[in-house]
Amino acid sequence: MDDDDEQRAVLALKELSNTDEIAKMRNAAKECLLKGGTADVEDIMSRVREALDLQGFKTKIENFGFSYARGLGVQHAKFASQGCLQKRSHSEQEKSSCTQRTNSDHEHIWKRLLMDRLCALREATGVPYVRPPRRPEEAERLRLQSAGHTSAQRIGEMDSPFSSPRISLVTSFLYSGEDFFHALMDIGKILRRNASVPINQVSLLPQRRPDDSPENKPPSDTRSNPSENGESFRTVKKMIDVPTRAEMAKFLKELSIEERHLGVDDLVCPWFRDQHNSRSQKVRDKGSIVECWKLARFGVPNPLRPDIWKIALGLPSTTKADHQYFESLCESVEEQEMLTDLLIEHDLQVLSGSQHFFPFEETLRSVLLAFSRDPAIGQCSSIPSVHFINAGTDETDMQYPPSGVLPFKGLIMLAAPLCMVYDDPTDVFVVFRSMYCRFWSRLMSFSLEGLPQPSLTGLCNIFESFILEIDPEVYHHLHLLGCPALQIAFPWIFGAFVGYLCIEELLLLWDRLLGWDSLVILPVLAAAVMTFRRKLLLDAKTADDLEEIIDDLSHIKIIPLLQSVLAVE
Amino acid sequence: MVKYKTDFDKFVIVSSCERRGWSKVTADSSEDWDFYWANVHTVKQLFMPENGFRLDPHQIINHFPNHYELTRKDLMVKNVKRYQKQCKKEGNDVPDLDFIPTTYMLPQDYSLFVEEFRRSSNSTWIMKPACKAQGRGIFLINKLAQVKKWANGPGTGRERREMENYVVSRYIDNPLLIGSKKFDLRLYVVVLSYRPLKAYLSDLGFARFCNIKYTTEMAEMDNQFVHLTNVAIQKRGLKYNSRHGNKWPLQDLRLFLEATRGREAADQFFKSAEMVIVNSLKAVQNVLINDIHCFELYGYDIIIDENLKPWLIEVNASPSLSATTKADRLLKCKVIHDTLSLVIPNDWPRTDRRPKSAPAYLARSMHVSEDPNHATPTRVGSLRLLYDETEEIEKGRARRDAQLQSDAQRRSKRHTMMGHMDRPMSAFI
């Protein structure tokens, strides 16, 4: 371990020793010793160990060690295939320098862009970035107007007295998946440019389109330059070490066709369903993170999902402190209005049209508003955030919004499925925050990580390589039609398939995200769906036909598709 | 060539018939049809003895002559109450039988109602016209004065007659809420015959949500948007969103209940809901005229209370065939299509003229998962066999036979044992 790691280990142990757990452990050990018996050290030790195990401490220590190791990035030592891990470490050095260069270029350009758009929004709506805090009397008056009992209810309700009347003036999102898509396509250009070209002459993103509607497709020229490094058909330049199908199958070996999974085998074999149920209950009772991950790879039974997802994310069961924290964030929303609140409301309007999620509109409103005020998130957000100096308050260099995450189109859809799993808004908030830090923040990052935890760039590269390997015919056909495969699959990947798959299948997919602690299954599924529909895709004559074919994924069963596409002949 | 007639010019009916290659009968007065999707008034006329119109053996029509015994609120309650009494007398008093809220007919049971009302102070009651639809004329009361006001209300002779038949039920004021809003369930049930009773339940259904948060506050008692889930009412609200139409798929409800209440509770709820449907049909079984030309597609309205108990609100003979959203239209098309596949005999000529743009899954519903010549398949598309009386009778017979046989065996064994006792224990001493 180098100095850095050692320091972190020391800090971590200190943290552990300060918790109640250590005190409990000491007490348990003392009790055990006092029970008397032999003076044999071995015997005493084994009795103490047994006692601690019975009280669940063994699992707690395991979990703690596991989370710590994950923080160091070594969690896949046991699970990843040797090949993948080797590749990763070998190109670490060249990647890190590359990453630094791209990141700083990107950061700068991206920040400028967001500032411009945010400015434009402020002009259009007349709402300042941050309003001065409301006077207590005014806040109280608004509270009385609302019907909710808790702060969360008050800010969550439709037409809440705390919401801005200017919402109708918001006509477009700050940014969306499409912006990322274009940025990725242009990344290659940035990398190749030498340092002599000044940054401000690099135009990363196209000029703002007059209406940012999803129907506007990018121009049909696919922007890939045939003269580049031989990879003439790629929409996004290959920048990471992409695994082959065989390596992917090894990494996702639990999806092999011999294994039984929820979503397919439980429907056919009742005994498997019962067996899996009892196994899941045991895993849930034990509370070990590692075992939850292993279980989640085969699917989690519906009623146990709330508990198992929490364990898999390393979250303790929700305490009063969590409720209070959530409530206090909601109160800060009541006290001070921000421009970003309007963006969240705009996003909600998309959700409220959704057939599956409309009953949860109010819960999601309060969760997303509270999320935007939570400073704890800023540390794990990978997208460069916008900072303000003197944003009309006394704060200097405040991260804006406090969470560091500027709302974009689709953020709320990433939280929506959680309402089908958790009843209590605090649970939804806590789990969403954890999943954002762990997964969704990577969907907005251009960093060049490969397996086991790729970011958006890596996911796109993996998708294109994978589909090129399993079904080049479809890939080239789509390319010729002027609608490259990645263009179709991008919304699926960026949105984690929310709104495309039916809820049951979506939750089974997210089980696997947790099980492998990685987004890598998203591009694999996207490729599987496309090759499943290959006959229809190959019959399509124009780009418009394609829309009809890939429009409706609600009848897709994901597990058979994944198993068949990973089955290496 | 199959000829069909319909009183509803609705896409969900017409498309199902057209894709089977049937031709539409346009003349209103024509009696030359093979299949008729009629409205309840036409059916009433048709079955009136004065008309003298007799159906040919092969003709199929979508209502039973006296369906109103089940579908009129007051008659349904009367029949169910009679059935409950009968079961209690026979010693079959099961908790499943308590599935309608306490209800009284007005004006007949006025005094009984007053007695009950006084006994349970602080309760809210709901007043509904006996034979109106779409939430018309419904209001809540919590004071006797409000009933008296209605009873002595102004109106001409004819209005008073119309106002006369009302039902008043104890209001279920603790409905299960999702997102703080009240909702009810719409389930589709197809009955092929009443004696023997054969009923199917569709997997497809939906929850209808109110637009406004639920509250038991007095001030909001008259707010129809809080309490009445009828689409016709909610549509008029400011908060109505036509993209989802306030309809939530049944599968989503099941998922949500499993996750938030556990699998046993969710399964138990759906089983109870099925029992409610079966019991309601059994209640009217002996009253309905079991015409072999008839079948019926009912729209069951069920409310779930916060203890996950289902309550039957009413049964609709003509569930709405209009579609409010794209998903709604797909759902209703599928339900109608499966219904036709179920009721149309296999020997009718059939051309599968599936329109080009129809999604592939519609084809799957044509698969009947049992021997097609068998009269009662267990599943046709989304319609699952809910109750088959012949099967129950068979099972009962089989049980009795098995019992008789085991009794006989026991008797003969005793006989042989007795015989053995006279012989010496061992022949080898």
Side-chain angles (χ1 to χ4, degrees), chain A residues 118 152 156 169 238 279 292 351 368 377 422 426 463 499 520:
Chain A
L118 203 54
L169 295 169
K238 187 164 101 155
R279 179 183 164 198
C292 277
L351 175 126
L368 265 287
I377 295 163
Y422 296 99
T426 311
F463 169 74
V520 79

Side-chain angles (χ1 to χ4, degrees), chain A residues 172-370:
Chain A
S172 55
F173 294 97
L174 215 50
Y175 58 107
S176 68
E178 268 190 67
D179 293 321
F180 281 100
F181 186 57
H182 288 298
L184 279 175
M185 289 203 287
D186 285 337
I187 269 184
K189 295 186 195 157
I190 304 283
L191 273 180
R192 281 188 320 280
R193 250 177 245 285
N194 44 22
S196 60
V197 177
I199 288 289
N200 53 12
Q201 285 187 12
V202 173
S203 77
L204 179 62
L205 292 144
Q207 289 305 307
R208 195 60 193 279
R209 288 178 289 287
D211 61 312
D212 190 20
S213 60
E215 283 73 39
N216 278 352
K217 290 206 187 69
S220 52
D221 62 300
T222 56
R223 294 165 172 264
S224 56
N225 200 337
S227 62
E228 289 169 13
N229 63 13
E231 285 271 321
S232 50
F233 299 114
R234 284 183 178 270
T235 320
V236 173
K237 175 174 157 48
K238 187 164 101 155
M239 284 170 274
I240 65 159
D241 281 319
V242 177
T244 63
R245 181 208 223 175
E247 283 162 358
M248 188 66 82
K250 215 167 162 194
F251 181 67
L252 299 171
K253 66 179 182 309
E254 279 87 348
L255 274 173
S256 92
I257 216 146
E258 290 97 42
E259 300 281 357
R260 295 192 189 276
H261 280 261
L262 269 196
V264 54
D265 294 283
D266 58 324
L267 303 166
V268 181
C269 322
W271 62 263
F272 169 71
R273 186 179 51 216
D274 297 330
Q275 185 194 71
H276 198 76
N277 261 336
S278 50
R279 179 183 164 198
S280 310
Q281 273 173 357
K282 287 203 197 92
V283 167
R284 189 264 311 261
D285 295 333
K286 186 157 179 226
S288 155
I289 299 181
V290 175
E291 288 191 25
C292 277
W293 282 22
K294 286 195 199 153
L295 175 79
R297 292 174 192 188
F298 298 96
V300 180
N302 218 1
L304 294 165
R305 217 174 244 134
D307 293 329
I308 293 198
W309 277 18
K310 275 206 184 139
I311 301 172
L313 290 166
L315 295 168
S317 25
T318 313
T319 59
K320 203 155 178 236
D322 291 320
H323 285 287
Q324 279 169 349
Y325 186 65
F326 179 56
E327 189 70 5
S328 70
L329 287 173
C330 292
E331 275 165 19
S332 69
V333 176
E334 282 180 341
E335 283 155 18
Q336 194 169 35
E337 195 193 330
M338 285 192 190
L339 182 58
T340 47
D341 296 349
L342 291 180
L343 290 165
I344 292 173
E345 188 62 41
H346 195 58
D347 203 6
L348 258 167
Q349 282 169 4
V350 173
L351 175 126
S352 67
S354 149
Q355 198 202 114
H356 299 287
F357 300 121
F358 73 85
F360 305 114
E361 188 185 319
E362 301 195 348
T363 307
L364 287 168
R365 186 182 278 111
S366 56
V367 165
L368 265 287
L369 284 172

Side-chain angles (χ1 to χ4, degrees), chain A residues 147-148 153 157-159 273 277 281 301-306 349-363 419-423 503-504 507 548 551-552 555, chain B residues 177-181 207 209 211-213 217 239 241 243-249 251-256 258-264 325-328 330 357 359 361 364:
Chain A
Q153 282 174 354
E157 55 186 28
M158 282 193 282
D159 295 341
R273 186 179 51 216
N277 261 336
Q281 273 173 357
N302 218 1
L304 294 165
R305 217 174 244 134
Q349 282 169 4
V350 173
L351 175 126
S352 67
S354 149
Q355 198 202 114
H356 299 287
F357 300 121
F358 73 85
F360 305 114
E361 188 185 319
E362 301 195 348
T363 307
C419 291
M420 295 293 290
V421 182
Y422 296 99
D423 210 358
I503 306 284
E504 207 162 329
L507 293 175
E548 213 183 272
D551 186 37
D552 183 21
H555 296 276
Chain B
L177 299 178
I178 295 184
S180 310
K181 300 201 186 73
F209 275 81
N211 279 320
I212 313 284
K213 260 214 283 266
E217 271 172 47
K239 300 252 165 73
N241 186 322
R243 283 171 63 188
H244 54 70
N246 288 350
K247 290 177 182 163
W248 207 38
Q251 305 93 289
D252 289 356
L253 176 68
R254 186 189 281 266
L255 256 181
F256 181 78
E258 277 184 3
T260 53
R261 301 278 190 133
R263 173 154 293 141
E264 291 79 32
T325 65
K326 181 169 152 200
D328 195 32
L330 276 174
S357 57
Y361 72 81
R364 268 186 256 140

Side-chain angles (χ1 to χ4, degrees), chain B residues 4 58 98 101 109 138 192 234 241 249 251 262 346 353 380 426:
Chain B
Y4 79 94
H58 74 282
D98 176 29
D109 298 335
I138 300 186
L192 294 182
Q234 297 294 332
N241 186 322
Q251 305 93 289
N346 289 311
R353 245 199 284 137
V380 175
S426 167

Side-chain angles (χ1 to χ4, degrees), chain B residues 32 61 117 120 188 227 250 329 340 345 348 366 374 398:
Chain B
D32 181 24
I61 192 166
F117 187 91
S120 52
Y188 291 102
H227 295 283
L250 195 61
R329 176 195 289 232
L340 292 187
W348 280 27
M366 294 203 228
H374 190 254

